[in-house]
Amino acid sequence: MYPTCTYFFGAATIMPTRRLVTSVLLVAFGFGGSLVVSPVANASASAGCQYKVVWPTAGVYEEPNPYSAVVKTKYAGDIVGAATCEGASYNEYGYVLVTTDAAADGRGWMREGAVVPL
């Protein structure tokens, strides 16, 4: 009976210390990570996301699903993109956001496989 109580109290005194160390490390790594990532994130946000079309022809969809209306067609070598880097998926299909005047809201979606990031 004593070993169980000793083990329990031993674990109880060690756990808060481990939690404190873990919390301190998470804060330290989180702060350090934000210093390193922040300039890159700001540069990426200001530049937006740009893609090059690699398929011979690729549709720009009104909504991110294969059954949505194709509002525009892009061709291999065309550069597309948007001010923000957004993605969506529908079943096994992945989509990236592109800006287009042809869509009602100015936002079109292209299949992820049809483009490569620049």
Side-chain angles (χ1 to χ4, degrees), residues 34-55:
S34 67
L35 290 177
V36 173
V37 174
S38 182
V40 173
N42 287 340
S44 176
S46 64
C49 284
Q50 299 292 313
Y51 306 97
K52 183 177 182 179
V53 178
V54 293
W55 287 358

Side-chain angles (χ1 to χ4, degrees), residues 23-112:
S23 298
V24 170
L25 288 174
L26 287 174
V27 169
F29 286 133
F31 182 74
S34 67
L35 290 177
V36 173
V37 174
S38 182
V40 173
N42 287 340
S44 176
S46 64
C49 284
Q50 299 292 313
Y51 306 97
K52 183 177 182 179
V53 178
V54 293
W55 287 358
T57 59
V60 178
Y61 296 89
E62 182 75 37
E63 297 294 327
N65 72 63
Y67 306 109
S68 178
V70 175
V71 295
K72 197 172 204 176
T73 301
K74 290 294 187 175
Y75 302 96
D78 287 351
I79 305 298
V80 296
T84 61
C85 301
E86 291 183 44
S89 63
Y90 183 90
N91 291 339
E92 72 271 12
Y93 302 109
Y95 292 86
V96 295
L97 177 69
V98 295
T99 303
T100 180
D101 293 335
D105 58 358
R107 296 164 46 104
W109 298 89
M110 292 187 74
R111 291 275 301 274
E112 208 170 37

